[in-house]
Structure formats: structure tokens, C-alpha cells
Amino acid sequence: MIILDDYFWHMCFVFAVTAFAVYAFAREKLPLEVSSVLILTALLLFGQIFPVMDANGINKLNAGSLLSGFANPALIAVLALLVMGQGIIKTEVLLPLTRIFVTSKKWLAWLSIVGILLFVTTLSAFLNNTPLVIIAIPVLQALAIASGLSESRVMIPLSYAAILGGMTTLIGSSTNLLVSSAMVELGYEALNFFDFTIPGAILAGVGFIYVIFIAPRLLTNRTSMAKDLIG
């Protein structure tokens, strides 16, 4: 109870900052960068004005501890993947490969959609999934039109396919890297690249079947505003 009394206002402040972060990131009235800097600045100032001292008289909320996350190897790895993904977008290196799947025949178009989703799922285990999704969107839109399938019913499956593939390796998702880094900080061994590939592949396989056969039937047909005006 003494600890609660000592740190009560610190906890209240952290909860208040967390609530502000959720609101700011959800509404996006301010750019995300501005909101992030404001939150970090508030924490830094609060830590200096209302310090939390340890047994050695060192402030636990000093600038070093609050900014140490920026030197985290997992964060640097995630940023490197984002840079690589942006390079893939700018060079369009995967676009010729995805265009191979484009066809005007309805049944071939449907097979191509399945093939592209499988392609995205597989590569998401080794590449950042953002460029894969961006590159696949226009191709899937063309295939959806050719197969008579609503474009809106293939976009969510595309996103799910990328997420499912990211579960299978250490670098497939930034969350995996951050968890591995947190384990090292707690004294455990770091996760290896393929430590959870087998269970991840099982979940991805079941999820992929759902994405292909069930999700398109549950999703509503959402037409664009332009089509609504024309119609």
C-alpha cells in the first residue's frame, strides 16, 4: 500500500498520457509525429519534475531510461525493414512478377487472386508486408473486375494474408522482433529466426483457408463513391 501511495500520481499521469495517445492516434487531428513528440516531451518533463528514485538515489525516469528504446536493436531492425520496403515500392521490383497473374478469363482470374494472396503470405515472412500489399492492390483490383468479384471483398483478405505470413518468422512482424528483444532484456534467450515457424505455419494455413473461402462471403460489397454517383 505504501508503494501505491508513493507512485499513485505517477500511475495516474501515465494512464492520462496513454489515454491522450490513444485519442490522438485515433483522431489524427495532429500529425502522428507531432503527437509522438508531445507525448515523449511530457514524459521527459514529468520525470524531471517528479522523479522516482531507486535505492541508489538514481532517478528511474531520467532521460536515458526514457530514450533508451530508440537504441533498441529490434527497433533498428524494424526501421531497416521499412527502408527496404520503401525501396521495393519505389523501384517496383515486384510489379512485373505480380502482373504475370493478370488475366481476363474469369476462372483464371480467381485462381490468380488465390495465387497472389499465397504469394503475399509467403513473402511476408521475409519482407515488410506494407510494400507487398501496396503492390498487390492494383493487380487484385483488376483481377476482381475480371472475375466479377467485388473489389472490396479482396482487400481485407489481402491484408489478412500479409499478417498471417508475418507470424511465421522472427522478422515477419515487428511485434515478433520487439518480443524477442524484451525477452533478452528480462534475461531469457532471444528467439531464433524459425523458432515458431511450425505453429505459425499451421495458424497461417488455417487462416488462409478462411481468407479464401469464408471471408469474401461475409464481407459486404462496398462500391466506390464514383460508382454510386454513376449508378
Side-chain angles (χ1 to χ4, degrees):
M1 190 67 186
I2 296 176
I3 296 177
L4 180 62
D5 291 338
D6 289 343
Y7 300 139
F8 176 74
W9 293 112
H10 293 83
M11 291 188 293
C12 289
F13 180 78
V14 171
F15 283 131
V17 171
T18 302
F20 170 78
V22 172
Y23 175 81
F25 292 155
R27 297 300 300 271
E28 294 188 29
K29 290 186 176 180
L30 294 174
L32 296 180
E33 297 83 359
V34 175
S35 299
S36 300
V37 171
L38 288 176
I39 293 168
L40 181 59
T41 303
L43 291 173
L44 288 170
L45 290 175
F46 185 83
Q48 296 301 314
I49 299 174
F50 303 102
V52 176
M53 299 298 181
D54 61 9
N56 298 320
I58 299 176
N59 182 15
K60 295 182 179 180
L61 299 180
N62 57 33
S65 61
L66 292 175
L67 298 176
S68 60
F70 291 99
N72 191 303
L75 176 61
I76 296 174
V78 171
L79 295 176
L81 288 173
L82 291 175
V83 172
M84 185 171 62
Q86 192 66 22
I88 293 175
I89 294 176
K90 295 298 183 181
T91 59
E92 298 182 348
V93 66
L94 294 179
L95 192 56
L97 185 59
T98 55
R99 282 177 175 168
I100 297 176
F101 294 96
V102 177
T103 178
S104 59
K105 294 182 179 180
K106 186 173 182 179
W107 67 276
L108 280 179
W110 174 246
L111 289 179
S112 294
I113 292 175
V114 176
I116 289 178
L117 292 180
L118 183 61
F119 172 76
V120 170
T121 302
T122 303
L123 279 191
S124 291
F126 306 97
L127 296 174
N128 184 267
N129 51 26
T130 301
L132 295 176
V133 172
I134 292 176
I135 291 172
I137 284 176
V139 181
L140 281 180
Q141 286 178 329
L143 289 172
I145 295 174
S147 61
L149 187 66
S150 171
E151 300 173 32
S152 61
R153 290 179 176 174
V154 297
M155 293 298 107
I156 291 297
L158 172 61
S159 176
Y160 286 172
I163 295 173
L164 291 170
M167 297 191 307
T168 57
T169 64
L170 179 62
I171 68 169
S173 170
S174 58
T175 306
N176 300 343
L177 284 169
L178 294 174
V179 169
S180 179
S181 176
M183 291 177 62
V184 173
E185 293 178 357
L186 292 174
Y188 298 96
E189 292 185 2
L191 295 172
N192 294 321
F193 195 90
F194 294 108
D195 269 355
F196 42 87
T197 297
I198 294 178
I202 294 173
L203 293 174
V206 175
F208 189 80
I209 294 174
Y210 176 86
V211 163
I212 296 298
F213 296 103
I214 299 178
R217 299 178 183 275
L218 298 178
L219 295 170
T220 58
N221 182 9
R222 296 181 180 273
T223 58
S224 65
M225 184 179 295
K227 290 184 179 179
D228 288 338
L229 292 174
I230 294 175

